[in-house]
């Protein structure tokens, strides 16, 4: 017997086609499901709207596992049918997201936007800049993304402190954050969006950061209180690099666009060449475990 897996694209067919005991079948949210859907045990979701998702889930009577292509699962929490497992793509996007964090920190400290403006104005503005070397970086989130970032920052001689849900060797507890914030030049958010992390970075959190510190959000927009951050940026007390915002997409008239001291990108930290290949490599490994009678390694328990 083989495990039928519904996949949203040709990449999925190719990635799963060589797995023993697995039968990948292409489907679309916007078209009638193929006849094989009646036997499908695994769903790899593609892009969807909530009403389309619910319709598909209701048409899969044998569904046992939803295997995501994303590391975040917040859009699925509360929507998974009873008895169905949910597994993320943790491990696929950490490297590119960590690379984005390093890129924006280098851009800010080495004043690359300013030099680009000088180039456009044909202005030779020779001066020294700051450096990432020896900066104290507080990485909030000690999972795959946080570990990937720590490894890359070490190459720039930055000093990294890790924070996770609970304390363990080399990782501080999130309960220690109030005492840690004031001693760091950068706070990099690498956490999933859960009820505990939503709004975590509020006015009190930001006020505890030292003058001139940089908040980097590579997590999810609602982790940060946007109004509180805009207030700090407008006062020019803090700086920020944001790949995610709340709301998102950011409306054209939102004050974040014109706030000083902020570098914005449109949720592209993980949008790099090869990302689909890396995602399906994780997906294939998870489905191979399931087909072999094991539980996937990236199962979501509760909210994460």
């Amino acid at each position: 017997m083989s495990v039928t897996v519904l996949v949203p694209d040709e990449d999925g067919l190719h990635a799963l086609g060589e797995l023993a005991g697995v039968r990948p079948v292409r489907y679309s949210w916007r078209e009638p499901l193929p006849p094989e859907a009646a036997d499908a045990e695994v769903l790899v979701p593609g892009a969807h709207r909530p009403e389309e998702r619910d319709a598909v889930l209701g048409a899969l009577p044998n569904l046992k596992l939803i295997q995501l292509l994303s590391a975040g699962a917040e859009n699925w929490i509360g929507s998974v049918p009873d008895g169905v497992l949910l597994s993320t793509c943790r491990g696929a996007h950490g490297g590119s997201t960590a690379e984005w964090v390093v890129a924006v920190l280098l851009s800010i400290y080495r004043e690359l936007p300013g030099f680009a403006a000088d180039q456009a104005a044909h202005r030779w503005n020779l001066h020294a800049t700051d450096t990432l070397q020896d900066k104290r970086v507080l990485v909030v989130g000690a999972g795959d993304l946080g570990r990937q970032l720590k490894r890359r920052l070490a190459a720039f001689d930055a000093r990294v402190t890790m924070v996770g849900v609970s304390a363990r060797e080399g990782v501080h507890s999130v309960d220690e954050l109030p005492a840690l914030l004031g001693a760091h030049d950068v706070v990099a958010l690498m956490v999933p969006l859960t009820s505990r992390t939503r709004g975590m970075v509020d006015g009190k959190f930001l006020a505890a950061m030292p003058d001139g510190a940089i908040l980097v959000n590579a997590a999810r927009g609602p982790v940060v209180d946007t109004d509180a951050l805009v207030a700090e940026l407008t006062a020019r007390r803090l700086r920020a690099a944001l790949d995610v915002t709340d709301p998102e997409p950011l409306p054209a008239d939102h004050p974040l666009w014109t706030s000083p001291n902020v570098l914005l990108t449109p949720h592209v930290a993980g949008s790099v060449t090869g990302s689909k290949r890396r995602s399906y490599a994780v997906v294939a490994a998870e489905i191979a475990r399931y087909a072999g009678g094991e539980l996937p390694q990236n199962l979501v328990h509760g909210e994460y």
Side-chain angles (χ1 to χ4, degrees):
M1 291 289 293
S2 61
V3 174
T4 300
V5 181
L6 295 186
V7 296
D9 48 40
E10 292 296 321
D11 295 300
L13 291 178
H14 177 75
L16 306 183
E18 300 301 320
L19 293 182
V22 173
R23 178 177 62 159
V25 177
R26 176 83 182 267
Y27 81 102
S28 170
W29 294 98
R30 296 172 177 84
E31 298 175 2
L33 291 177
E36 295 90 344
D39 299 321
E41 292 186 41
V42 182
L43 172 68
V44 179
H48 64 275
R49 295 193 298 264
E51 61 272 19
E52 295 169 329
R53 175 182 64 195
D54 294 342
V56 170
L57 292 178
L60 301 177
N62 200 39
L63 185 64
K64 302 294 191 302
L65 168 67
I66 298 172
Q67 173 59 57
L68 302 180
L69 287 163
S70 63
E74 69 274 7
N75 291 333
W76 286 87
I77 302 300
S79 298
V80 178
D82 291 342
V84 175
L85 302 172
L86 178 65
S87 179
T88 72
C89 205
R90 184 177 67 242
H93 308 293
S96 53
T97 302
E99 181 181 81
W100 176 88
V101 174
V102 173
V104 295
L105 288 176
L106 289 172
S107 181
I108 291 170
Y109 282 131
R110 299 310 302 266
E111 300 181 25
L112 298 186
F115 284 124
D118 290 335
Q119 179 182 349
H122 299 189
R123 182 171 52 236
W124 191 261
N125 185 13
L126 175 63
H127 64 277
T129 69
D130 205 342
T131 176
L132 182 54
Q133 296 172 89
D134 298 320
K135 289 295 184 291
R136 302 161 300 173
V137 181
L138 186 64
V139 178
V140 184
D144 175 62
L145 272 66
R147 292 192 297 270
Q148 294 274 12
L149 178 57
K150 179 182 180 181
R151 181 167 66 86
R152 284 159 175 78
L153 287 172
F156 290 88
D157 296 324
R159 293 177 285 166
V160 178
T161 303
M162 302 292 291
V163 173
V165 174
S166 57
R168 52 189 182 274
E169 184 177 356
V171 178
H172 292 266
S173 165
V174 69
D175 296 330
E176 301 176 66
L177 266 177
L180 294 170
L181 289 170
H184 289 83
D185 305 293
V186 176
V187 177
L189 305 174
M190 311 291 276
V191 295
L193 179 61
T194 67
S195 59
R196 185 170 184 175
T197 63
R198 184 180 293 272
M200 176 178 69
V201 181
D202 56 12
K204 184 177 180 180
F205 184 110
L206 295 169
M209 294 173 61
D211 291 354
I214 301 172
L215 178 74
V216 181
N217 191 359
R220 289 292 186 268
V223 172
V224 177
D225 181 329
T226 302
D227 291 341
L229 177 60
V230 168
E232 291 283 9
L233 295 173
T234 302
R236 298 180 184 272
R237 197 186 74 80
L238 296 180
R239 295 176 284 179
L242 310 174
D243 186 52
V244 290
T245 60
D246 183 25
E248 188 177 307
L250 197 62
D253 60 350
H254 197 281
L256 262 179
W257 287 114
T258 54
S259 295
N261 293 346
V262 62
L263 193 163
L264 287 169
T265 59
H267 205 150
V268 295
S271 299
V272 297
T273 54
S275 61
K276 182 66 73 70
R277 173 179 52 80
R278 284 185 283 271
S279 294
Y280 269 115
V282 174
V283 166
E286 291 287 75
I287 292 175
R289 292 186 186 95
Y290 175 82
E294 303 177 33
L295 288 175
Q297 292 184 346
N298 292 349
L299 284 182
V300 174
H301 302 282
E303 290 188 89
Y304 185 65

